[in-house]
Amino acid sequence: MTLFGIDIVLLLATTVAAGTPVLLATLGAILNERAGVLNLGLEGLMLVGALAGFVGTYTTGSVWVGVLTALLAGAAVASIHAYFTITLRVQQVVSGLALTLFGTGLTAYLGRPYIGIRTPETFGPVNIPLLADAPFVGPILFKQDWMVYISLALAFALYFYIYKTRPGLQLRAVGESPATADSMGISVTRTRYFYVLAGGALVGLGGSYLTLASNPSWLENISAGKGWVAVALVIFAGWHPLRAILGAYLFGGMESFQFSLQAAGSDISPFFLKMLPYLLTLAALVLVEWRAKAGRRQSNAPAALGVPYLRQDKN
């Protein structure tokens, strides 16, 4: 089955892989923002995770050590944002933008010796027995690498955690009304710190996918704006982990489609084709905001998002 000379099954299979780093970053941002902390530093965190994952794998020869390194690096850099926004109560937009600049500059400097070097070990496809042989769906969903399966499992696990567990209820309470949560004995500061670090770890994990799977080498600015796409997809998903899958795969689909068109020899300008995934993201975001303003869909943004909390504020 083909479209414009493009194999549809192959296109959809690459869509899932291309959407995986954005999905992981979006899930991390959802954790941040559900706790009431806005993080515009996703681009910087993804770059840090990408470099840390590459260096960890390059140094040890183990891709799983690279993954662990990316998780720790993402959490460590996110702790800077947590300290400034939660402890010092710095304006969260400013701190997030500074984090992106910091991550971009830091990885450009530290990654200079590794530019162009191939990752010694990468995530390869893992065939799920029986399911991988299913017609059409098998090659799309069940011949992916471990990180794809982990990202999907995390999305469903976070949905269950946020909406079906007591700690998830406490997380939502801190993001919606920190004063109320505080009066119930929930530590707002500790809760926000935990989820900013956990979210940063997931964003770093998303960055590591770029150097350990989709483009197994280190290149400066390898994230190419995917962190900013994740910022937008949080709003598109309505701060819901399962809807984040749809948003990430829409972006991944357009990214795969434009690469496929170029490979098929399309006469369309490659510069325009490269813009398509980002244009789609912007269009989806505009549609969501238009529906919210028209009253067709209520915004699910946490009420205390971006608002610093002082304990005496509850009075």
Side-chain angles (χ1 to χ4, degrees), residues 122 132 142 153-154 220 232 273 281 287:
T122 62
F142 303 111
L154 280 171
E220 192 173 326
L273 291 176
T281 304
L287 177 62

Side-chain angles (χ1 to χ4, degrees), residues 18-19 22 226 250-260 276-278:
V22 180
K226 290 181 175 63
L250 280 174
F251 174 82
M254 287 304 298
E255 188 170 50
S256 298
F257 183 63
Q258 62 96 2
F259 279 125
S260 299
L276 283 179
Y278 304 96

Side-chain angles (χ1 to χ4, degrees), residues 49-267:
L51 179 60
F54 174 84
V55 172
T57 303
Y58 180 77
T59 304
T60 66
S62 170
V63 71
W64 292 109
V65 171
V67 166
L68 178 61
T69 306
L71 286 166
L72 293 175
V77 175
S79 69
I80 300 173
H81 183 60
Y83 177 72
F84 277 102
T85 58
I86 300 171
T87 301
L88 300 183
R89 294 183 291 279
V90 170
Q91 220 282 340
Q92 294 180 10
V93 172
V94 174
S95 177
L97 293 175
L99 193 65
T100 285
L101 295 175
F102 172 74
T104 302
L106 181 68
T107 54
Y109 175 72
L110 296 180
R112 194 173 303 168
Y114 304 103
I115 292 177
I117 298 177
R118 297 284 295 178
T119 310
E121 184 183 352
T122 62
F123 284 106
V126 178
N127 294 347
I128 305 298
L130 300 178
L131 295 176
D133 297 325
F136 192 76
V137 177
I140 297 172
L141 293 178
F142 303 111
K143 289 186 178 181
Q144 299 288 350
D145 57 72
W146 277 115
M147 289 285 280
V148 171
Y149 302 135
I150 289 171
S151 67
L152 289 170
L154 280 171
F156 282 93
L158 285 181
Y159 162 74
F160 181 82
Y161 178 83
I162 292 172
Y163 294 102
K164 306 294 182 181
T165 68
R166 183 178 180 83
L169 177 62
Q170 293 175 346
L171 165 63
R172 286 183 286 139
V174 168
E176 292 292 340
S177 178
T180 303
D182 190 9
S183 66
M184 295 172 61
I186 301 169
S187 172
V188 175
T189 298
R190 186 164 55 244
T191 299
R192 287 186 167 180
Y193 258 97
F194 176 79
Y195 288 107
V196 170
L197 267 62
L202 285 183
V203 179
L205 181 62
S208 73
Y209 188 81
L210 300 173
T211 51
L212 302 183
S214 61
N215 186 16
S217 62
W218 167 251
L219 297 171
E220 192 173 326
N221 291 322
I222 194 172
S223 56
K226 290 181 175 63
W228 294 111
V229 171
V231 171
L233 290 184
V234 174
I235 303 171
F236 172 80
W239 291 264
H240 194 291
L242 297 186
R243 286 200 287 269
I245 299 174
L246 173 61
Y249 288 172
L250 280 174
F251 174 82
M254 287 304 298
E255 188 170 50
S256 298
F257 183 63
Q258 62 96 2
F259 279 125
S260 299
L261 278 179
Q262 291 185 57
S266 171
D267 294 330

Side-chain angles (χ1 to χ4, degrees), residues 32-65:
N32 284 193
E33 297 190 13
R34 279 289 179 185
V37 180
L38 178 65
N39 190 350
L40 298 183
L42 304 187
E43 183 76 3
L45 286 171
M46 286 192 78
L47 286 169
V48 168
L51 179 60
F54 174 84
V55 172
T57 303
Y58 180 77
T59 304
T60 66
S62 170
V63 71
W64 292 109
V65 171

